[in-house]
Amino acid sequence: MTKPPRQFFAPLASGAPQPLLELPVRLERTIHFVPAHNEKLRARVADMAKQVDVILANLEDAIPADAKEAARAGAIEMGKSFDFASAGVGYWSRINALNSPWHLDDVTELVAAIGNQLDVIMVPKVEGPWDIHYMDQLLALLEAKHGVKRPIMLHAILETAQGVANVEAIAGASPRMHGICLGPADLAASRKMKTTRVGGGHPGYRVLSDAEAGVTERASAQQDLWHYTFARMVDACVMHGIKPMYGPFGDFADAAACEQQFRNAYLMGCVGAWTLHPSQIEIAKRVFTPDIEEVKLAKRMIDAMPDGTGVALVDGKMLDDATWKQAKVIVDLARLVAAREPEMKAAYGL
């Protein structure tokens, strides 16, 4: 059951900020994870901010149980010690799961200390809209209590079979929803998939060509384990006007496979990906930034049909209303990139 349309954008607590009618227009190609208990990595935040679009203070997986409180304190320190907004960089935190012993303190302490600095809370293992409804109400009460001026957004991680089954309901559960990203490791475990890889393909997941008389070697090709889930997630996000994103790629040594997985996600409609290691930052930034020649072609398409209607011919290819819309997706993203990286404006010819 969802809230009636006239109540969907009503604040859930007296004194809480008005929910946003539209998502802020931001470039979020790279969501760089910082283990918030690690003092040395926290000290590099100012340098990291020059390279990425979002810095995320991680409190959940990969943080030892005996370091959870230190990670929470580190996330608060990061929010207080660096002006992310002035740097044009988003500041997010991934909290611990809703059923964990650290969850409630994560939410209450983060909002109390840095509620006005925190853009997005990433919620792991979201299984249905009820998880988002709970977070929505809790955040409204805390925002009102601590005088937070703008609503903190929610980004759900899709990492259980139940979450995938409910992805459309999750995407539309609250005006706080920023987006959804894929968590392939936990999702693989939830589905009982027989892989220990964190994202990417698997050499055993293939299609085989038909047998031919006299031919012993049959051609085969590795397939994408995540294609179905990507497609469902992207459709759910786009339907509700929120952002689909790819999650982690765990093999830091395999840059080529990382790039291919990120590119698959980009082509299917994702706007960004997690970067868990500095080597992945450049990969994500390159993949989720539209190619210069592609942008120039898309711009010629739009110039050939300024009002987006009718038929035109560009480079020997027929254009119509649908191809104009495709071209606009690329040019709009290029303009967003150029706004953050002015040197790209001339390169794109914008």
Side-chain angles (χ1 to χ4, degrees):
M1 188 69 181
T2 59
K3 291 185 287 183
R6 291 187 185 277
Q7 297 177 22
F8 190 75
F9 290 99
L12 293 183
S14 177
Q18 183 72 34
L20 299 179
L21 295 177
E22 298 286 345
L23 282 183
V25 179
R26 292 176 180 162
L27 200 60
E28 291 165 335
R29 301 163 296 180
T30 52
I31 300 90
H32 191 60
F33 274 55
V34 177
H37 67 299
N38 189 314
E39 187 177 353
K40 290 183 179 179
L41 292 180
R42 290 201 311 269
R44 299 176 191 166
V45 163
D47 289 332
M48 290 179 196
K50 299 172 184 176
Q51 305 173 53
V52 302
D53 300 320
V54 174
I55 288 178
L56 180 145
N58 184 29
L59 311 184
E60 199 222 7
D61 289 352
I63 307 299
D66 61 1
K68 295 290 188 180
E69 292 185 8
R72 190 184 308 132
I76 292 169
E77 179 195 310
M78 287 167 63
K80 289 182 173 180
S81 62
F82 184 76
D83 190 344
F84 291 91
S86 295
V89 176
Y91 185 46
W92 300 13
S93 182
R94 179 172 72 167
I95 59 172
N96 284 285
L98 276 61
N99 61 354
S100 77
W102 308 286
H103 165 77
L104 192 58
D105 287 341
D106 286 349
V107 180
T108 55
E109 292 184 25
L110 287 175
V111 177
I114 55 169
N116 284 306
Q117 288 74 45
L118 195 60
D119 297 302
V120 175
I121 288 178
M122 185 177 280
V123 187
K125 302 172 182 66
V126 173
E127 303 216 290
W130 50 85
D131 290 336
I132 300 301
H133 296 159
Y134 154 75
M135 285 294 302
D136 197 3
Q137 185 72 70
L138 177 60
L139 284 174
L141 291 165
L142 292 171
E143 288 166 345
K145 179 178 180 180
H146 299 292
V148 176
K149 303 301 182 187
R150 57 189 171 83
I152 298 168
M153 306 301 284
L154 294 172
H155 192 101
I157 313 179
L158 203 61
E159 46 190 343
T160 70
Q162 188 175 14
V164 175
N166 290 322
V167 65
E168 289 87 357
I170 292 167
S174 164
R176 287 187 192 274
M177 284 300 294
H178 167 278
I180 302 176
C181 60
L182 179 66
D186 276 295
L187 181 54
S190 172
R191 286 175 168 167
K192 305 295 190 288
M193 293 167 67
K194 311 307 184 288
T195 176
T196 56
R197 298 183 174 207
V198 179
H202 193 287
Y205 192 72
R206 315 178 70 85
V207 290
L208 195 65
S209 67
D210 291 345
E212 296 181 41
V215 178
T216 56
E217 290 291 329
R218 295 169 63 178
S220 69
Q222 186 170 315
Q223 301 295 289
D224 187 352
L225 285 164
W226 307 109
H227 184 84
Y228 158 78
T229 309
F230 269 147
R232 282 204 64 179
M233 182 184 78
V234 170
D235 284 346
C237 287
V238 173
M239 178 172 70
H240 289 283
I242 65 175
K243 296 184 177 184
M245 294 185 170
Y246 187 68
F249 186 87
D251 189 351
F252 303 152
D254 195 342
C258 176
E259 177 165 350
Q260 187 60 58
Q261 191 67 68
F262 284 1
R263 191 165 300 283
N264 291 351
Y266 169 75
L267 290 170
M268 288 187 70
C270 290
V271 301
W274 301 7
T275 54
L276 305 182
H277 188 273
S279 65
Q280 296 180 334
I281 293 173
E282 191 276 332
I283 298 172
K285 190 173 178 180
R286 181 176 68 251
V287 167
F288 289 94
T289 298
D291 176 76
I292 291 172
E293 293 306 316
E294 185 179 39
V295 173
K296 289 180 177 179
L297 172 60
K299 188 173 182 298
R300 292 202 304 275
M301 291 178 172
I302 290 174
D303 291 343
M305 296 174 58
D307 65 354
T309 63
V311 177
L313 205 63
V314 173
D315 296 352
K317 298 177 182 178
M318 189 199 80
L319 310 180
D320 61 9
D321 299 30
T323 46
W324 185 91
K325 292 173 187 174
Q326 290 177 293
K328 191 174 184 301
V329 168
I330 294 169
V331 172
D332 285 349
L333 177 55
R335 293 189 191 282
L336 199 57
V337 171
R340 178 161 170 78
E341 300 168 6
E343 69 277 7
M344 294 301 293
K345 184 174 182 179
Y348 285 144
L350 298 175

